[in-house]
Amino acid sequence: MKQKVVAVVGPTGVGKTSLSIEIAKKFNGEIISGDSMQIYQGMDIGTAKITEEEQQGINHYMLDIISPEQTFSVADFQHMVRNHIDEISSRDKLPIIAGGTGLYIQASLFNYQFTDNKRDESFQKKLEEEAEQKGAYALHQRLKEVDPEQAEKIHPNNVRRVIRSLEVFERTGKSMAANHEKQSLTSEYEPILVGLEMDRQLLYQQINDRVDQMMENGLLEEVTGLYKQGLSNNQAMQAIGYKEFIPYLKGEETLERAIELLKRNSRRYAKRQYTWFKNKMDVHWYTITPNDKNINFSTILKDLAGMIDNK
């Protein structure tokens, strides 16, 4: 029999973390973060990383595993998550992925193949030199011409990801999205995907409120500390919650504008997450409201009991 894995998915700010805790408590589970940015140490507030108190004694994995100076690929993520799934299940506990980042979760649960994606070092070096000579923006514009959808997702300063996307296009002649479409949706597991959704305006208000709370909790200080370490161009600092403050710290933008952009980018990201999970994965969706989460969660737990027993 294949190992059952529960994944809690949906847009940012909808309540995935709280639900994953309730599932773990009821079904003797342990939680793997499906978020591509919570892997970084010292990036806690901007990634909405679960606190030790919020974990309620439940073991959590894929948190604080590398420093912000390091890079981490989807293939790296896939490998580590699968190891955690195997280890958790070996102790007769239920692996639960709380996410997060659509591609990373899909790659971890399904048979995404990365073996053919070997780097072309000469092409990579050529683009690095082009970025130095013409600037990061020019390289980003080049990506925009061949793969506008991918360019929209990547900040121009994230030269590493821009180069990687151009390399994929150079090698395959297809966009990153088209290459993802080719991937198999077979799985060595039995995934049970639970999705949370919320009225758009209610969700956006929650996101705006959460950004305000992040600021009160010290988000600016967190970003400033990373900026002073010289990490402004690193992969980690291109995340939503961090990149918006770089122009402010450089004296190019007001703090009010940075906060406004963070709220806007968070709302847009929530919309992209929702679209990804709706289009790419077979998810059991539940509409929840901020004031009735406990009622909503009890319904989900009851349904999950049937799904886990019957699969």
Side-chain angles (χ1 to χ4, degrees):
M1 290 180 62
K2 292 183 178 181
Q3 172 61 44
K4 301 176 184 70
V5 182
V6 173
V8 182
V9 303
T12 186
V14 78
K16 299 184 295 292
T17 298
S18 300
L19 177 58
S20 67
I21 291 289
E22 295 305 312
I23 294 172
K25 289 193 293 187
K26 183 170 178 63
F27 298 104
N28 188 30
E30 296 184 349
I31 297 171
I32 304 167
S33 169
D35 190 291
S36 63
M37 300 311 298
Q38 293 184 355
I39 59 175
Y40 292 107
Q41 300 154 357
M43 300 180 69
D44 304 329
I45 300 170
T47 64
K49 194 179 294 176
I50 189 171
T51 65
E52 187 173 343
E53 182 181 359
E54 290 169 338
Q55 291 177 23
Q56 298 184 41
I58 305 294
N59 286 339
H60 280 68
Y61 305 92
M62 298 300 286
L63 301 174
D64 300 321
I65 59 175
I66 63 172
S67 71
E69 292 93 343
Q70 296 174 272
T71 59
F72 204 75
S73 70
V74 185
D76 294 329
F77 194 92
Q78 178 195 58
H79 176 72
M80 291 193 71
V81 167
R82 289 181 174 182
N83 283 343
H84 286 308
I85 290 173
D86 293 343
E87 196 275 329
I88 292 168
S89 60
S90 73
R91 292 184 280 105
D92 293 324
K93 289 181 174 286
L94 177 68
I96 302 159
I97 298 178
T101 310
L103 173 62
Y104 282 63
I105 295 173
Q106 194 172 21
S108 298
L109 287 176
F110 297 94
N111 291 327
Y112 262 56
Q113 302 296 321
F114 296 99
T115 53
D116 294 331
N117 291 357
K118 295 178 181 177
R119 304 305 302 263
D120 182 341
E121 293 186 5
S122 61
F123 185 76
Q124 182 181 350
K125 186 176 181 185
K126 177 183 172 184
L127 291 185
E128 286 173 350
E129 291 172 354
E130 184 176 326
E132 286 184 17
Q133 294 168 2
K134 300 181 181 179
Y137 181 77
L139 200 65
H140 189 265
Q141 284 296 112
R142 180 171 166 181
L143 176 61
K144 203 170 183 179
E145 291 173 6
V146 298
D147 191 349
E149 182 180 348
Q150 185 69 0
E152 178 68 23
K153 298 175 184 176
I154 305 175
H155 191 278
N157 287 342
N158 195 343
V159 174
R160 187 194 67 85
R161 280 193 67 197
V162 171
I163 289 175
R164 181 63 178 142
S165 299
L166 283 168
E167 188 180 339
V168 168
F169 184 83
E170 175 75 11
R171 189 182 67 250
T172 67
K174 297 180 180 178
S175 68
M176 194 71 84
N179 278 280
H180 291 159
E181 288 291 342
K182 293 191 308 179
Q183 296 286 354
S184 168
L185 284 183
T186 59
S187 178
E188 62 188 78
Y189 309 112
E190 289 194 11
I192 303 171
L193 303 169
V194 176
L196 298 182
E197 56 185 343
M198 185 181 291
D199 172 80
R200 187 70 55 88
Q201 294 309 313
L202 286 175
L203 178 63
Y204 285 174
Q205 186 57 54
Q206 286 221 142
I207 289 171
N208 291 342
D209 292 344
R210 187 165 76 160
V211 169
D212 292 335
Q213 187 62 53
M214 285 177 172
M215 293 303 296
E216 289 184 24
N217 292 346
L219 176 58
L220 180 59
E221 290 75 12
E222 181 173 271
V223 181
T224 302
L226 295 164
Y227 177 78
K228 287 181 177 178
Q229 294 177 46
L231 302 176
S232 58
N233 290 324
N234 284 61
Q235 176 185 356
M237 287 288 277
Q238 307 311 315
I240 295 171
Y242 297 87
K243 64 182 180 182
E244 291 83 5
F245 292 97
I246 302 301
Y248 165 70
L249 294 172
K250 290 181 176 180
E252 300 169 356
E253 194 56 84
T254 66
L255 179 58
E256 290 74 16
R257 176 59 176 162
I259 295 171
E260 178 186 325
L261 285 174
L262 173 51
K263 290 179 177 179
R264 185 201 71 182
N265 290 344
S266 297
R267 294 192 301 267
R268 288 180 175 178
Y269 179 56
K271 185 176 180 181
R272 291 198 303 273
Q273 283 178 302
Y274 183 67
T275 301
W276 175 283
F277 290 118
K278 278 282 187 179
N279 294 340
K280 307 275 188 181
M281 305 173 83
D282 183 16
V283 179
H284 302 277
W285 288 100
Y286 294 86
T287 301
I288 66 171
T289 56
N291 297 328
D292 295 320
K293 279 188 178 179
N294 290 336
I295 298 173
N296 300 138
F297 286 1
S298 64
T299 300
I300 296 169
L301 293 174
K302 183 179 177 182
D303 290 351
L304 258 181
M307 286 186 259
I308 290 171
D309 290 341
N310 291 335
K311 285 185 84 69

